[in-house]
Amino acid sequence: MTESLLNAGATPENAAALARSIETQLRGTAQKYTSLSDLKALLVEASGQRLGDEVARRLQSQTPVFQDILVKTQKRVLPFSRGVLSRSLEDLGLAPREAYSVASQVDQRLRQDGVEALSPAMIDDLTERTLLERHGEQMRLTYRFLRANRGRLGVIGEESGPPSPFSKGILVQSLLAAGVAPDYARKVARSTQRQLRGAEDRLVTRTQIREKVEELLRGEVGPEVAARYRLLRVLRKPPRPLMILLGGVSGTGKSLLAAEIAYRLGISRVVSTDSIREVMRAVVSRELVPTLHASTFNAWEAFIPPGESRPEHPTQEQLLEGFREQVQQVSVGLSAVVRRSLEEGVSTVVEGVHLVPGYLQTGDFVGAIVIPILITLPSDEEHRQHFESRERETRNHRPRSRYMRYFNEIRAMQGYLERLARQQGVPLLDGLSLDESADQAVGLVLRQVLAELSAQERMDLLGEADSSVALSFQEAD
């Protein structure tokens, strides 16, 4: 009764005195029970006589504290509980006293508005407004996340904004980039989610996730992998956009590797020089630029004068002349794609045979961290098998027979690219499995990013401990 009177505007002293008076009055009668409605009527009448008409009017329009406010869900009806709401608010990180204070304010507003029954959504909306007034937008958005993702683990980012749901897929992606085997990466991700979800908080920071993963990695894989994981996490946002350039002739598995590297490093943009060439073909006619409308391994045929018979195989000079001509043409479109990515500040993986060491326009890559890699297959037989696999995977859209016809030319082009790569200091990935190639490529990216950082940038991004790990990583390489 005292709290009901306080909600109606009575002073604490007057509210306590009137409540005691009504209690004495009720105990002095022969009745053992009274209804809620009769108690409210008695309280309104007494407050009108002793505290004034305004307090009585407010009390009449409100829901008294001794009457339950009913929460109607689809399955049942429950009384509103400040304690239950308070425990939910503690999940936001509020101290128990503050959480209960917010819950009490929500309860007070409902009663002052005369609410006797409502839905859970109405409680959530009022709680959001109360949190916004008391703690700001960030706390409101965090509560909204918990409201929409009941029972799910939420991740709080460093920047302002609502939490995001914990994703095992994203964590697996980071673990793969750190060189953790796929099966174990999935196991660690599941264990991390299970252990964090078992904690009292339903919201965790990225730091808490990283520390839990490192703990699991140190115990099962070793401290080196744990350190590499931490390093990659810190360098997830490099100081400048990454341009990872995967060159190689047809059939070396560039497309699959590009997709795998992009997945492991969280890069959303993957570009094929074949796609660039296809767009340029739609704009420039075959009659105007015939070499553009051929494949790199038979572009030399465009240089045969009219009326002359075409030889079964070109000379080395003829082969490379046609190849270089097409590379220069496609480089025009490639430069435009690179410039657009840099303007947007987006890291990109580019793959294709047109990424020839020494032929790229370095001016197009100003402002990027460039990591060129050449993919090769030393074995003729393995190269042939790649074409057979691709024929099956594409359902004969890229028939093996076409490439076998020019197989010698393709192998000769690979030899040319290898020589250029060694002259230019471009690393080669020779005949490795997809996982091995992806591991090595990610390692190359990591080392290149570290090499691009000044000592101060390394310290700012990594801190003293991780900076020393980064240096030891480079020295070991």
Side-chain angles (χ1 to χ4, degrees), residues 13-57:
E13 296 79 6
N14 289 339
L18 183 55
R20 284 195 298 271
S21 174
I22 293 175
E23 180 185 18
T24 300
Q25 179 181 340
L26 289 172
R27 288 184 182 279
T29 66
Q31 293 178 247
K32 291 186 177 181
Y33 304 98
T34 184
S35 67
L36 295 178
S37 57
D38 287 344
L39 182 58
K40 179 178 178 179
L42 179 60
L43 192 60
V44 170
E45 180 183 358
S47 62
Q49 295 171 354
R50 298 178 56 174
L51 304 179
D53 292 341
E54 182 62 24
V55 173
R57 184 189 62 77

Side-chain angles (χ1 to χ4, degrees), residues 212-406:
K212 176 57 66 177
V213 171
E214 288 177 16
E215 176 188 328
L216 292 169
L217 289 176
R218 277 193 297 270
E220 299 292 336
V221 184
E224 295 82 6
V225 176
R228 180 182 167 104
Y229 166 76
R230 185 168 194 180
L231 195 57
L232 279 164
R233 291 291 297 169
V234 175
L235 292 176
R236 200 71 172 175
K237 296 180 180 179
R240 292 182 293 283
L242 302 178
M243 287 292 158
I244 303 172
L245 310 177
L246 299 180
V249 295
S250 298
T252 51
K254 301 182 300 299
S255 300
L256 284 175
L257 181 58
E260 182 68 16
I261 292 171
Y263 170 73
R264 293 191 181 195
L265 294 176
I267 296 175
S268 59
R269 184 169 296 179
V270 180
V271 177
S272 166
T273 62
D274 284 348
S275 299
I276 296 173
R277 181 179 60 185
E278 200 63 33
V279 172
M280 295 179 70
R281 285 172 175 174
V283 178
V284 183
S285 69
R286 183 185 299 272
E287 291 74 20
L288 186 60
V289 185
T291 52
L292 184 64
H293 289 262
S295 294
T296 50
F297 46 76
N298 69 336
W300 58 274
E301 295 176 358
F303 293 117
I304 299 175
E308 287 192 15
S309 61
R310 183 183 65 80
E312 185 175 354
H313 295 287
T315 65
Q316 179 86 350
E317 183 179 349
Q318 288 173 322
L319 172 67
L320 296 182
E321 182 182 7
F323 174 49
R324 286 191 291 257
E325 178 71 16
Q326 188 178 111
V327 167
Q328 291 174 347
Q329 293 159 357
V330 174
S331 292
V332 176
L334 175 61
S335 296
V337 170
V338 169
R339 284 195 300 271
R340 181 60 180 267
S341 294
L342 290 177
E343 288 172 3
E344 297 174 351
V346 176
S347 293
T348 306
V349 179
V350 186
E351 60 88 9
V353 66
H354 305 94
L355 300 170
V356 179
Y359 277 68
L360 300 174
Q361 300 297 318
T362 55
D364 292 336
F365 296 90
V366 174
I369 297 176
V370 183
I371 304 97
I373 302 172
L374 182 65
I375 316 301
T376 65
L377 287 173
S379 166
D380 287 8
E381 184 57 34
E382 187 178 359
H383 205 159
R384 290 189 180 93
Q385 291 174 0
H386 273 231
F387 285 123
E388 292 176 1
S389 299
R390 190 163 70 177
E391 182 181 56
R392 291 192 300 270
E393 291 165 0
T394 62
R395 299 182 180 180
N396 297 322
H397 288 298
R398 303 183 75 178
R400 172 180 177 273
S401 58
R402 178 171 183 267
Y403 297 96
M404 288 300 96
R405 177 184 173 188
Y406 294 99

Side-chain angles (χ1 to χ4, degrees), residues 437-471:
S437 295
D439 287 344
Q440 288 200 18
V442 170
L444 289 169
V445 172
L446 181 58
R447 284 185 281 274
Q448 187 64 35
V449 172
L450 291 174
E452 294 277 342
L453 296 176
S454 67
Q456 187 59 51
E457 284 178 322
R458 190 182 293 112
M459 185 67 69
D460 292 342
L461 282 173
L462 304 175
E464 186 172 354
D466 285 339
S467 184
S468 62
V469 171
L471 287 174

Side-chain angles (χ1 to χ4, degrees), residues 5-236:
L5 289 164
L6 289 173
N7 287 345
T11 65
E13 296 79 6
N14 289 339
L18 183 55
R20 284 195 298 271
S21 174
I22 293 175
E23 180 185 18
T24 300
Q25 179 181 340
L26 289 172
R27 288 184 182 279
T29 66
Q31 293 178 247
K32 291 186 177 181
Y33 304 98
T34 184
S35 67
L36 295 178
S37 57
D38 287 344
L39 182 58
K40 179 178 178 179
L42 179 60
L43 192 60
V44 170
E45 180 183 358
S47 62
Q49 295 171 354
R50 298 178 56 174
L51 304 179
D53 292 341
E54 182 62 24
V55 173
R57 184 189 62 77
R58 290 175 186 167
L59 196 60
Q60 179 64 51
S61 66
Q62 294 178 8
T63 303
V65 177
F66 47 76
Q67 176 182 334
D68 284 335
I69 297 176
L70 302 180
V71 181
K72 296 182 177 180
T73 67
Q74 292 182 344
K75 295 182 178 180
R76 52 184 176 172
V77 177
L78 298 168
F80 172 77
S81 168
R82 283 179 284 189
V84 172
L85 179 57
S86 177
R87 286 191 290 275
S88 297
L89 292 169
E90 286 182 39
D91 287 338
L92 301 178
L94 294 180
R97 180 175 294 182
E98 173 61 15
Y100 190 78
S101 176
V102 173
S104 296
Q105 186 173 343
V106 171
D107 177 82
Q108 182 185 56
R109 287 182 169 181
L110 291 173
R111 295 186 181 282
Q112 288 176 336
D113 290 341
V115 176
E116 296 184 351
L118 76 168
S119 67
M122 293 172 65
I123 296 175
D124 288 332
D125 289 341
L126 179 55
T127 303
E128 275 195 37
R129 293 199 301 272
T130 306
L131 286 170
L132 178 62
E133 294 169 4
R134 295 175 68 125
H135 295 282
E137 179 70 3
Q138 176 67 27
M139 192 64 74
R140 183 185 73 83
L141 292 173
T142 302
Y143 179 80
R144 176 172 289 184
F145 167 84
L146 290 176
R147 161 185 168 185
N149 299 274
R150 298 187 192 279
R152 296 181 66 184
L153 192 64
V155 181
I156 304 172
E158 296 175 359
E159 63 284 348
S160 61
S164 57
F166 175 85
S167 169
K168 292 194 295 291
I170 292 175
L171 181 53
V172 167
Q173 187 181 56
S174 300
L175 290 165
L176 289 174
V180 179
D183 288 345
Y184 192 75
R186 288 188 284 271
K187 179 182 176 182
V188 169
R190 288 194 298 270
S191 297
T192 300
Q193 183 185 43
R194 183 173 61 253
Q195 293 187 32
L196 289 175
R197 183 180 282 169
E200 293 182 1
D201 295 333
R202 283 189 289 168
L203 291 172
V204 295
T205 64
R206 298 190 188 281
T207 300
Q208 288 175 291
I209 295 174
R210 190 192 70 229
E211 289 174 348
K212 176 57 66 177
V213 171
E214 288 177 16
E215 176 188 328
L216 292 169
L217 289 176
R218 277 193 297 270
E220 299 292 336
V221 184
E224 295 82 6
V225 176
R228 180 182 167 104
Y229 166 76
R230 185 168 194 180
L231 195 57
L232 279 164
R233 291 291 297 169
V234 175
L235 292 176
R236 200 71 172 175

